Amino acid sequence: MPQQTNREQAVTNLQRYLREVSYDSLGANTVPIDGIFDTVTRDALISFQQSAGLEPTGVADKATWDALFAAYRRSTEPIRTRRGLFLFPDTPVNYELSRGEAWLLVNIVQLLLLELRVSYDIFEGVTESGVYDEATEQAIKDFQRINLLPETGRVDAATYDRIVREYTNLAQKGQ
């Protein structure tokens, strides 16, 4: 069993690096971070290998890992100096995201939850849809419970700030 966990963790890291590097490329596909080496991950790896001047094998050999990690480090360098994602609205006072809403901020919250799934391992069913659905609401309740916040299922400024802080801590651990 430990070998499976190590392989899954290696694939998860590979996917995280590919996703981060893809943000620097226009039209790049977003790789899911689920620990499963499927065709989407393989195609993203081949695309990276081609862009890095490596043989496009779809296999993460040492040369590919080294080039990918170097690209990942370059991509995250500017992020290291940031202090947070200041996207949550200041007005109206006491604003909260809740079920049924559909806009970019919901999409960002879902993306952060999906990234945090690596640490929390609980956010089942959350997708990056931009719609605050039942799965997103349940994930927020779980997040709030774990972080000793009021379990409302809605994202207020305190919940958003905690999500961002947890994401920042996770990103710093991966450096």
Side-chain angles (χ1 to χ4, degrees):
M1 187 74 159
Q3 283 184 328
Q4 181 64 25
T5 302
N6 289 339
R7 176 176 164 69
E8 184 176 328
Q9 196 161 26
V11 172
T12 299
N13 287 336
L14 175 75
Q15 290 168 329
R16 177 173 286 110
Y17 300 160
L18 286 168
R19 177 181 277 189
E20 178 62 40
V21 171
S22 77
Y23 295 145
D24 295 335
S25 307
L26 295 175
N29 293 329
T30 302
V31 179
I33 300 177
D34 58 10
I36 300 169
F37 194 92
D38 57 7
T39 56
V40 173
T41 302
R42 182 179 176 276
D43 291 348
L45 184 59
I46 288 172
S47 178
F48 171 78
Q49 287 171 325
Q50 289 170 333
S51 69
L54 299 168
E55 185 178 349
T57 62
V59 175
D61 58 8
K62 181 166 178 14
T64 299
W65 270 107
D66 290 347
L68 180 58
F69 189 69
Y72 169 79
R73 296 285 297 201
R74 283 190 304 276
S75 179
T76 59
E77 188 65 38
I79 295 171
R80 289 188 201 147
T81 58
R82 294 184 192 154
R83 296 286 180 219
L85 297 170
F86 303 106
L87 302 171
F88 203 81
D90 291 332
T91 57
V93 175
N94 299 324
Y95 175 77
E96 296 178 325
L97 281 174
S98 58
R99 193 191 299 188
E101 293 191 55
W103 64 297
L104 179 61
L105 187 56
V106 175
N107 193 280
I108 291 167
V109 167
Q110 290 168 332
L111 176 64
L112 293 172
L113 289 172
L114 289 170
E115 293 289 323
L116 288 172
R117 187 171 54 190
V118 172
S119 293
Y120 285 87
D121 198 30
I122 58 171
F123 305 136
E124 297 299 319
V126 174
T127 60
E128 196 179 335
S129 66
V131 177
Y132 203 112
D133 56 11
E134 185 176 348
T136 302
E137 182 180 57
Q138 185 59 53
I140 292 298
K141 282 182 183 179
D142 292 340
F143 181 86
Q144 290 168 329
R145 178 179 40 77
I146 291 167
N147 288 280
L148 305 175
L149 296 166
E151 293 178 47
T152 64
R154 295 182 306 275
V155 178
D156 59 3
T159 299
Y160 182 81
D161 289 347
R162 184 60 185 233
I163 290 170
V164 170
R165 188 169 77 203
E166 292 299 309
Y167 172 77
T168 302
N169 289 341
L170 177 67
Q172 289 175 345
K173 286 179 190 176
Q175 294 177 13

